[in-house]
Amino acid sequence: MRFLLRLASLFALAVAVIAGTIDSIQSVASSQVLMTPMSDAWQDVSPSTLTALQSSVSYYVHPRFYAFIFQWLMLQPAFAVFLVLSLILWMIGYKKPPVAGRFTA
């Protein structure tokens, strides 16, 4: 299970780097800071899944959750959302080193 969490963390980190690179290229080209919101990035990649997720969250979860948390999350920069997701997945899949050390019997 830890392997899958670490692999998902690596994938989220790669997506964050790609999103950050795209934002930096657009920022340099327009000579101002541009950060793509998560909703715009998701809309560009797969609009049908975004619509399905929005309808399912608003139907199955309390409407206040949809109004506050989900919409707030969709306004955040895409690279930041994926960086936080990568960190959370890595922290869940992290294996603590043994307390006694590496060469204990």
Side-chain angles (χ1 to χ4, degrees):
M1 190 66 184
R2 287 184 181 168
F3 173 74
L4 293 176
L5 288 169
R6 290 179 190 170
L7 188 64
S9 173
L10 177 66
F11 179 73
L13 182 63
V15 171
V17 168
I18 291 169
T21 303
I22 290 171
D23 286 348
S24 64
I25 290 170
Q26 289 176 346
S27 296
V28 169
S30 67
S31 298
Q32 62 182 357
V33 178
L34 295 175
M35 289 184 272
T36 307
M38 184 67 188
S39 61
D40 291 349
W42 199 337
Q43 184 73 26
D44 291 341
V45 174
S46 179
S48 62
T49 58
L50 178 62
T51 306
L53 181 69
Q54 287 174 342
S55 65
S56 65
V57 166
S58 65
Y59 181 74
Y60 289 113
V61 183
H62 199 276
R64 286 188 181 174
F65 177 80
Y66 176 74
F68 293 123
I69 305 296
F70 188 73
Q71 289 180 352
W72 177 82
L73 184 68
M74 289 293 125
L75 293 175
Q76 301 308 312
F79 76 91
V81 172
F82 281 109
L83 277 178
V84 170
L85 179 65
S86 174
L87 176 65
I88 291 170
L89 290 173
W90 178 80
M91 287 170 45
I92 293 171
Y94 181 72
K95 182 178 179 181
K96 296 178 184 175
V99 177
R102 180 176 173 186
F103 300 106
T104 57

